Amino acid sequence: MTKGYGDMRNGTMRIALFGANSGIAVATARAFAKTGARFVLVGRRAEPLEALAADLVVRGAKEAAVHVADLADLDALPTVAAGAWERLGGLDLALIAHGTLPDQTLLERDAVAARQAIEINFISPALLANALAPLFEGGRSGTIAVVSSVAGERGRRSNYVYGAAKGGLIRFLEGLRHRLAASGVQVLDIRPGFVSTAMTAHLKQGGPLWATPDRVADDIVRAVEKRRAVLHTPWFWAIIMAIVTALPRPIFHRTKF
Amino acid sequence: MTDIRDAWTTEVASWGGVARPRHLVLRPGTRAEARAIVADDSRLPLLAHGCGRSYGDVALNPEGRLVQMTGLDRFIAFDRDTGLLTCEAGVRLADILDAVCRPEPDGGGWFLPVSPGTRFVTVAGAIANDVHGKNHHGFGTFGRHVAAIELARSDGSVETITPESHPDLFAATIGGLGLTGLILSATIRLRRVAGTALEAEDIRFDDLDAFFALADGSEAWEYTAAWIDCLATGTATGRGIFSRARHAPGRAAVPPALRPRKAVPLTPPVSLVGGLSLKAFNALYWRKLGLRERVLKTGSYEPVFYPLDAIGSWNRLYGPKGFYQFQCVVPPGADGRAAIAEMLRVIAQSGQGSMLAVLKTFGDLPSPGLLSFPKPGITLALDFPNRGPETLALLARLEAVTIEAEGRIYPAKDSCMSAASFTRGYPAKADFQRWIDPAFSSAFARRVGLIGEGSRA
């Protein structure tokens, strides 16, 4: 049987967060902590992970284990995935939330930086999901949730390297979902718009298009509960992106965004 | 990535919205980053900033550095046996209610010992302003329930201070307006309640004497405060509605939603709080109990403690010019009562009514803080739309009446008191000044002479 919201409330959820210190992962973990979930937190730096673990326990988590790993190390990803799976004796939800928001103009000049941006925003999360897939498939239940971005839906001059990485991820998840459909494993593609987190701290924020991580987290909890395939969060991005992707090229090319 | 010139363009307003000075805003995400900011020897003075719920300028530091603390929002530990909660400085009271103060099966649970009229303040802000609530007569100020503070000072030290380990620095930091260093985390003592829900009673009263009779006769009620119809004149002066509440044993109330269900989406071009709407509001509120003299209800604590939290960004209703808050305390007894009556007369005469005039008596539980605002007596709180010089003139008259009655004004709400009024109201000022961290400053501290001209000290 698959896990529904009733199980979340009963505190039976076993959750792995990859890139656990990202703003969206933290907010989502806090929402699940209130239901008494158990966590394994995977990230690069021990100190903030330990702080998050303590925070989640005060908020009601039954357990929060820390696993330090560099998700940019592609060769280690299968081990990282297996370790997280085993730590809690299986998983009900894996949230893959790591990534960077690189400076496009820099990437146009710097091939090494461009490759790294593609690795961390596409190859790493895709390979991680791929390593988790057979584990979930064997259990015939659970959710693999991955944070992509609305930026992945159409290539734009202002961030096409990042957008291409996220676009690749979107296509990868589409295929993974097709593969796992028979086993009842949910593959959730989370596409946020502008979210106020450390990743976007250098941008000018505020205004109606910016959302808080808490709001995005609430949407993610509901999308997991409802076993959705694709989540635009907040909801209005579904409309915005429908328009952006439908714009005829001659018109699109006259825009600057 | 942050370019210093971009950062300079950040305007920060306080809740009243009268001033929007520019600051260099820093956003630490961890305590280690916050410590590094304090240890960094810049010439620009420092000040912590939380949710921006202070009305005046205590949390503003024009031309200086403002450390936005809301990124430090992690709980550190909670002991379910003793109720001791340790958390980072930027955790909000709303987060504590939501995550920790949840009803247990018997309806009881851990609860905030003291809460101001909004949940959307940080723990460090509650300490720095030594906030109080409707239960001051029974529980005193927030600072009484602080067990320890982790404080970073610009000499590079980071220490956990308690009333035992650092009595003087602790006393200066409680109600210390953020001037004694940067609070990184704190331990507060939650309290056990037999029911998270409240039994609340509203009673209509006709004048100030009736208010004092009700206040004196409400010993058995933990939470008390009154709304005053400040447009009423003559024999009706001081009429209002007295609210009192207490925990209902065995009755549970779930924490209110973290995001308001309604919000004021943008600032209207003019204030919506003006003469006519004020008259209408006050007249309606006066009749909210209908023909009945008293109404008793049991339920959520949200409408009792946090009526305004239900509407996000309600401060925008006052338009682009913002509004002023005024809150004073005057001693108990005949002189204090006469001073409150005089203030209500002055306000009614000026025609500049306040939407929310709140009257409450403070008890005699002392605060640990040197600059803490509450003291035994009567406190009156009001807000006035900013109409320029005429509003400032009214505030100056209220200030004069307060000081004449040996009272004082609440820094967290003040935008204009004089240095002389501050010095008379806060006799511990000189003691406090010895504990100001030389790297810290605020618009308020400079205005009231806590930090002298040229003494960047």
Side-chain angles (χ1 to χ4, degrees), chain B residues 33-54:
Chain B
E33 288 170 18
R35 286 166 66 162
I37 288 169
V38 180
D40 167 32
D41 184 27
S42 155
R43 291 197 173 274
L44 298 174
L46 274 174
L47 187 69
H49 191 85
C51 295
R53 288 292 178 136
S54 294

Side-chain angles (χ1 to χ4, degrees), chain A residues 21 26 30 34 45 47-48 51-52 54-60 101-103 201-202 204 212 214-215 218, chain B residues 1-2 9 27 30 32-33 73-78 80 85 88 91-92 95 98-100 102 258-259:
Chain A
N21 271 310
V26 168
R30 286 174 168 173
K34 274 192 257 179
R45 291 175 299 141
E47 199 186 352
L52 176 61
D55 176 75
L56 295 176
V57 168
V58 173
R59 289 174 192 267
L101 185 57
D103 177 357
H202 60 288
K204 207 166 173 67
T212 62
D214 287 346
R215 175 155 187 199
D218 283 355
Chain B
M1 294 277 251
T2 306
T9 64
R27 300 177 187 278
T30 64
E33 288 170 18
D73 64 348
R74 298 170 196 86
F75 290 107
I76 297 168
F78 179 52
R80 281 172 207 280
L85 173 74
E88 291 183 340
V91 166
R92 301 173 303 173
D95 302 317
D98 184 61
V100 183
R102 299 201 145 252
L258 276 181
R259 283 196 300 278

Side-chain angles (χ1 to χ4, degrees), chain B residues 169-200:
Chain B
L169 182 55
F170 187 85
T173 302
I174 299 290
L177 306 174
L179 298 171
T180 63
L182 189 70
I183 298 175
L184 299 178
S185 70
T187 300
I188 61 173
R189 243 176 264 110
L190 298 183
R191 62 178 281 231
R192 195 79 201 168
V193 292
T196 48
L198 294 182
E199 177 188 16

Side-chain angles (χ1 to χ4, degrees), chain B residues 198-240:
Chain B
L198 294 182
E199 177 188 16
E201 187 170 46
D202 284 342
I203 306 166
R204 200 162 62 189
F205 59 89
D206 292 325
D207 55 28
L208 275 185
D209 287 341
F211 164 80
F212 290 111
L214 278 166
D216 291 344
S218 298
E219 287 296 314
W221 296 79
E222 185 180 321
Y223 304 102
T224 62
W227 167 84
I228 301 279
D229 177 358
C230 60
L231 295 180
T233 51
T235 54
T237 299
R239 72 176 185 180

Side-chain angles (χ1 to χ4, degrees), chain A residues 86-131:
Chain A
E86 278 156 27
R87 182 65 184 71
L88 298 178
L91 293 171
D92 300 297
L93 169 63
L95 177 65
I96 299 175
H98 62 284
T100 60
L101 185 57
D103 177 357
Q104 169 71 22
T105 54
L106 171 75
L107 304 189
E108 289 169 14
R109 297 191 307 266
D110 185 334
V112 175
R115 195 193 75 206
Q116 284 169 347
I118 292 168
E119 281 181 357
I120 199 65
N121 289 301
F122 171 42
I123 301 178
S124 168
L127 293 184
L128 191 54
N130 216 31

Side-chain angles (χ1 to χ4, degrees), chain A residues 38-55:
Chain A
R38 297 163 65 204
F39 293 91
V40 54
L41 311 173
V42 185
R44 200 158 24 105
R45 291 175 299 141
E47 199 186 352
L49 290 177
E50 298 284 358
L52 176 61
D55 176 75

